[in-house]
Amino acid sequence: MVALRRRAGENARMTIPASHRIWTPAGWRGDAAGDRVVPGIANLHSHAFQRAMAGMAERQTNPADSFWTWRETMYRFAARFTPEALHAVATQLYVEMLEAGYTSVCEFHYLHHAPDGRPYADPAAMSRALIAAARETGIRMTLLPVLYMTGGFDERPLGERQRRFGHEVDAYLSLLDTLRGEADELLRVGCCLHSLRAVPPGPMREVLAALPADSRVHVHIAEQVAEVEDCLAVRKARPVQWLLEHAQVDERWTLVHATHLDEAEVQGIARSGATVAICTTTEANLGDGFFPLRDYLDAGGFWGVGSDSHISVSPVEELRWLEYGQRLLTRRRNIAVGEASSSVGETLLRDVVASASRSTGFDQASLDGDTLTLDGDAPALAGASDEDCIDRWLFSGNRSVLREVHVGGRQVVADGRHREHAAIAARYARTLRALLAD
């Protein structure tokens, strides 16, 4: 089993030079020109094991390929994972996240048991593999063990390939209790309902009633049109509509995707104080659809981004294509702006920073120690001013301009590279070859 012990002699806490310009949602502060420091970005939705299949589901298997046919490939990959393989893949993923500017991750974890559905000798073995990966790399993690009980809104039993995901309520709550004992300054443990189709109403109420008052709750919802139609057929309401009517949705909640909303649902989420995790590149890859961003911004809703299936591990790309998708829909430019700034980049960055604490469960004071240093010598930022720096970072080219990354004040990336980049990449390559060998 993978080791959980934190490395000795971690880098000292950060001191930001006075020459650096530091950006906060209120604007820039600092007295002199130089490298610019911006807040780290929270990745609000991750399925770490899916990093191993990125780019391997891009051949047509059906003229009507969709999320539902992609899921068949995902199930085949999921069946191959052991705790050791999950640790190797997650560690590589978290290095990539840190090098890209994600300083925290909400890990939506449902790969709980052995492939035949039997629990490991340690029922938390797969969760511990993810914790070990986060500690080895230095990323901040909110671990979200998933409750997954049924195969559809009709409450059919889990299929054979879903059995390793499943829990009954008592076993699930026991897992949460066990994992909360691992929490520390860089680890929180929340609750995760896979989806309304996978958690019946009774167990949902039972689990929510048993949670600590400050527990974060994440759920997939309204990602696919078929999901909306099935929910209407069985529960006589749209998914978000049903959830808002049957649960005390508030600022502790993160609704993942929420792609297909009507006007009342847009307003309802915004009023609740919940956060929407938008996963632009995965939603595009799966053909999910477009989130109604402008309407949601006008309603005052909270939101952030996630890399989900990890076909891209880049907050820049998530934010860029969130805006570009809206431009393609409306045939206009510069959509995501608000009263605080006419800059699209500043508006996007401000909003994701504002939602981080709500979704992760870390207090803002802790998150203030998570920072990215933009390389003032990078060609993409040559001559950058305070007025255009964020826009040039997010909308100019594809080469990273990150020089340093700090998490909790500790440096984890220097000169654009994680301190253990080479060793972790070599282990990942060996593991992926083994996963693909059969």
Side-chain angles (χ1 to χ4, degrees):
M1 185 55 58
V2 290
L4 289 175
R5 203 175 290 276
R6 190 184 302 277
R7 304 177 163 266
E10 286 190 321
N11 291 328
R13 290 188 177 273
M14 166 188 63
T15 300
I16 298 175
S19 61
H20 285 38
R21 296 284 284 165
I22 302 169
W23 189 90
T24 73
W28 291 97
R29 61 184 174 87
D31 298 326
D35 288 342
R36 290 173 169 86
V37 178
V38 299
I41 295 175
N43 188 328
L44 300 191
H45 190 61
S46 167
H47 303 299
F49 79 93
Q50 292 179 19
R51 172 63 184 85
M53 60 175 280
M56 297 186 190
E58 309 306 318
R59 290 180 178 269
Q60 190 179 78
T61 59
N62 185 306
D65 264 344
S66 67
F67 165 83
W68 307 102
T69 54
W70 169 88
R71 196 170 66 160
E72 297 303 308
T73 302
M74 183 272 286
Y75 285 155
R76 289 195 294 273
F77 261 85
R80 301 182 181 199
F81 274 83
T82 62
E84 290 75 18
L86 181 60
H87 172 255
V89 171
T91 308
Q92 173 64 24
L93 171 65
Y94 298 157
V95 164
E96 293 174 3
M97 285 187 186
L98 288 164
E99 291 179 346
Y102 290 120
T103 50
S104 60
V105 57
C106 295
E107 186 59 51
F108 197 113
H109 167 54
Y110 56 85
L111 208 58
H112 295 300
H113 309 305
D116 63 3
R118 288 182 294 182
Y120 291 100
D122 174 8
M126 295 295 264
S127 295
R128 294 187 197 281
L130 292 165
I131 293 171
R135 287 178 173 163
E136 184 173 347
T137 58
I139 200 167
R140 186 185 298 276
M141 173 186 277
T142 301
L143 181 61
L144 299 163
V146 170
L147 179 62
Y148 202 133
M149 301 183 73
T150 57
F153 284 102
D154 58 3
E155 300 185 22
R156 70 181 78 108
L158 295 178
E160 181 179 352
R161 290 170 299 177
Q162 297 171 315
R163 287 177 185 162
R164 73 181 309 184
F165 311 156
H167 274 109
E168 295 302 318
V169 169
D170 288 348
Y172 176 70
L173 292 176
S174 177
L175 176 65
L176 293 188
D177 286 342
T178 297
L179 293 172
R180 287 190 198 105
E182 301 283 349
D184 60 24
E185 63 178 0
L186 295 182
L187 177 68
R188 296 290 183 271
V189 176
C191 166
C192 196
L193 311 173
H194 178 270
S195 56
L196 297 186
R197 68 179 184 273
V199 182
M204 182 187 82
R205 289 191 296 270
E206 186 177 351
V207 166
L208 293 177
L211 296 177
D214 61 349
S215 177
R216 269 36 184 184
V217 183
H218 288 229
V219 60
H220 286 137
I221 198 160
E223 179 180 4
Q224 290 285 321
V225 171
E227 176 190 348
V228 177
E229 293 172 343
D230 288 350
C231 191
L232 279 165
V234 175
R235 301 194 185 179
K236 310 306 178 186
R238 297 169 60 86
V240 169
Q241 174 193 357
W242 188 93
L243 184 67
L244 292 172
E245 291 173 352
H246 291 85
Q248 188 178 341
V249 178
D250 56 23
E251 66 276 2
R252 299 171 304 149
W253 284 71
T254 296
L255 310 188
V256 180
H257 303 303
T259 307
H260 300 286
L261 305 175
D262 65 17
E263 182 178 352
E265 290 172 315
V266 168
Q267 296 294 327
I269 297 173
R271 284 195 301 270
S272 75
T275 299
V276 173
I278 308 171
C279 307
T280 315
T281 59
T282 292
E283 290 153 7
N285 184 266
L286 297 177
D288 288 345
F290 293 97
F291 179 77
L293 181 65
R294 187 64 259 171
D295 289 346
Y296 190 67
L297 294 179
D298 290 342
F302 290 91
W303 64 277
V305 294
S307 59
D308 195 353
S309 67
H310 314 303
I311 49 93
S312 173
V313 184
S314 167
V316 168
E317 190 167 13
E318 298 298 336
L319 293 171
R320 181 183 298 175
W321 279 101
L322 177 61
E323 166 70 17
Y324 283 175
Q326 303 300 309
R327 295 185 187 188
L328 291 169
L329 280 172
T330 62
R331 297 185 297 280
R332 293 190 295 110
R333 300 187 69 253
N334 300 327
I335 308 300
V337 295
E339 294 181 1
S341 175
S342 61
S343 159
V344 174
E346 288 188 3
T347 301
L348 294 172
L349 185 58
R350 181 198 67 218
D351 284 4
V352 297
V353 170
S355 293
S357 178
R358 304 169 80 89
S359 286
T360 65
F362 288 96
D363 62 83
Q364 190 58 53
S366 297
L367 295 174
D368 286 344
D370 301 351
T371 61
L372 317 175
T373 302
L374 307 183
D375 184 357
D377 294 328
L381 297 181
S385 67
D386 286 353
E387 287 70 32
D388 66 15
C389 183
I390 302 299
D391 288 324
R392 289 177 64 176
W393 171 38
L394 295 181
F395 292 97
S396 174
N398 291 306
R399 293 192 176 188
S400 175
V401 299
L402 298 187
R403 175 179 286 168
E404 297 177 2
V405 176
H406 291 79
V407 177
R410 296 184 179 91
Q411 185 170 355
V412 292
V413 171
D415 295 325
R417 194 173 175 94
H418 189 274
R419 61 188 182 226
E420 301 292 342
H421 177 108
I424 289 171
R427 183 174 63 200
Y428 171 76
R430 293 192 300 270
T431 299
L432 193 56
R433 292 188 190 102
L435 287 171
L436 298 173
D438 297 334

